[in-house]
Amino acid sequence: MNKLKITALGVLALGLFACKSQYEILLSSNDLDAKYQAAMEFFNTKKYQKAAQLFESMAVLTSGTARDDTVQYYWGLSNYRNKDYYTAESNFERFVQNFPRSPFAAEAAFYRLDCLYRSTYRWELDQLPTRTCMAHIAEYMREYRGDDVHMEVCRKMMADLQDRLDRKDFEAGRQYYRMEYYPSARVKLLNVLKTNANNNYREDVLYYTAMSSFHYARMSVWQKQRERYLTFVDDYLNFVGEYPESHYRKELDGHYRQVQKILGKDGVADEQLTNENN
């Protein structure tokens, strides 16, 4: 019984070794037809790493032939399906440059975008890859605007990437607010909307702008309070004019009523402000 087990294991090991050897022999051979057929079989059975290695090994052999663009495209697609997005992006970039008239060109261009998109970072991190990806998506949408297949995906990617940029800008301003650097927070937040009036976090930006001016006035020396409370009033009115139903409204309304009492109907003299704060 033990001899039978040992013999069976030995045969299995030899079989596995032989299979591996056959693949390695094929990988290093110049039999283009055999390599191409095997690569396609590996691709269709989802053995993408082996497929990618075979397509890569064929790239020199097929250069300048009718199979050239097919081999290059499936090399990139195999890497993509194997989730090696860095290598796949290089494959597809090179493909688009070398085969702009290929039937695979549009798909290759889109897969390159998807690789770039998957290589971007969360909003807290460096957004240079985000901006690079957005530029390529915009270029793709201009070039292939008649192609409806991927346009909706491109729009969703753009929306997500823009949201990351908007969030990063907003959070940079809010960080000053959290640190209680209220004048700097207000300036930073207003600059967010100067740069991009349609920032996805516009409501939050305007809320923290008003809150910054309120706290800055509250903490100021009495000689400066009237002027700074009036700045809060302006910020408050701007906010409620745009977002009358905001969930921030109740809190801001409370501060506004408090400031109205301090300022009085027609504004107050410095002495009145002093008495209110005492």
Side-chain angles (χ1 to χ4, degrees):
M1 185 68 177
N2 289 336
K3 288 183 179 180
L4 287 174
K5 285 185 177 180
I6 293 172
T7 302
L9 289 172
V11 170
L12 179 61
L14 287 172
L16 292 173
F17 179 76
C19 290
K20 181 179 179 182
S21 297
Q22 289 173 5
Y23 175 75
E24 289 179 345
I25 291 169
L26 183 61
L27 193 63
S28 60
S29 77
N30 290 324
D31 188 341
L32 182 58
D33 289 336
K35 289 165 78 86
Y36 185 84
Q37 183 178 354
M40 282 299 187
E41 287 178 0
F42 281 129
F43 182 86
N44 291 329
T45 55
K46 300 183 180 181
K47 297 175 181 178
Y48 298 120
Q49 185 173 6
K50 286 188 173 182
Q53 290 174 336
L54 280 172
F55 284 122
E56 182 179 7
S57 72
M58 279 187 278
V60 175
L61 299 175
T62 59
S63 180
T65 70
R67 284 181 178 174
D68 198 4
D69 65 329
T70 303
V71 167
Q72 295 283 349
Y73 175 72
Y74 276 95
W75 178 14
L77 193 56
S78 297
N79 282 318
Y80 176 86
R81 296 280 174 81
N82 197 43
K83 299 183 179 181
D84 182 359
Y85 300 118
Y86 180 82
T87 305
E89 192 272 323
S90 297
N91 290 142
F92 291 129
E93 179 184 21
R94 186 166 53 250
F95 184 94
V96 172
Q97 291 172 350
N98 294 338
F99 306 102
R101 299 185 183 279
S102 168
F104 301 116
E107 285 295 303
F110 174 75
Y111 279 122
R112 186 197 175 198
L113 293 183
D114 195 50
C115 290
L116 289 170
Y117 176 74
R118 292 171 184 272
S119 300
T120 55
Y121 306 134
R122 302 190 312 271
W123 68 264
E124 305 99 310
L125 304 176
D126 179 26
Q127 293 304 300
L128 180 59
T130 296
R131 297 182 188 279
T132 300
C133 184
M134 290 176 74
H136 286 292
I137 293 174
E139 181 180 350
Y140 176 90
M141 294 178 76
R142 285 192 300 270
E143 186 169 354
Y144 298 100
R145 55 185 176 274
D147 176 15
D148 294 331
V149 177
H150 298 306
M151 287 299 107
E152 183 60 28
V153 176
C154 286
R155 284 190 283 269
K156 288 180 179 178
M157 287 194 293
M158 278 290 250
D160 176 55
L161 296 173
Q162 184 62 56
D163 190 76
R164 296 185 207 181
L165 296 180
D166 289 352
R167 176 78 182 274
K168 191 173 184 70
D169 288 343
F170 161 61
E171 293 291 353
R174 184 160 70 163
Q175 183 63 22
Y176 283 102
Y177 178 86
R178 288 171 171 166
M179 296 168 65
E180 299 184 1
Y181 297 159
Y182 297 120
S184 298
R186 186 173 185 274
V187 170
K188 183 73 174 177
L189 290 163
L190 289 175
N191 283 338
V192 168
L193 298 184
K194 285 181 181 179
T195 303
N196 177 19
N198 297 316
N199 187 290
N200 289 335
Y201 297 86
R202 182 179 178 88
E203 180 179 352
D204 302 279
V205 169
L206 291 176
Y207 163 74
Y208 281 102
T209 298
M211 290 297 292
S212 295
S213 59
F214 173 76
H215 287 302
Y216 185 42
R218 184 175 59 83
M219 297 172 62
S220 297
V221 295
W222 62 265
Q223 294 94 336
K224 298 287 187 181
Q225 282 188 328
R226 181 177 183 278
E227 173 189 351
R228 292 171 182 172
Y229 275 127
L230 289 173
T231 298
F232 163 74
V233 171
D234 287 341
D235 291 341
Y236 167 81
L237 294 175
N238 286 337
F239 181 88
V240 297
E242 287 198 40
Y243 301 101
E245 305 299 325
S246 172
H247 66 283
Y248 292 129
R249 181 70 188 269
K250 183 177 180 180
E251 180 183 8
L252 288 176
D253 283 351
H255 292 322
Y256 178 69
R257 287 192 294 270
Q258 179 184 352
V259 169
Q260 287 294 87
K261 288 180 182 179
I262 294 173
L263 293 176
K265 291 183 179 179
D266 301 316
V268 297
D270 292 337
E271 293 82 2
Q272 290 175 296
L273 277 169
T274 304
N275 293 334
E276 286 285 348
N277 289 319
N278 290 335

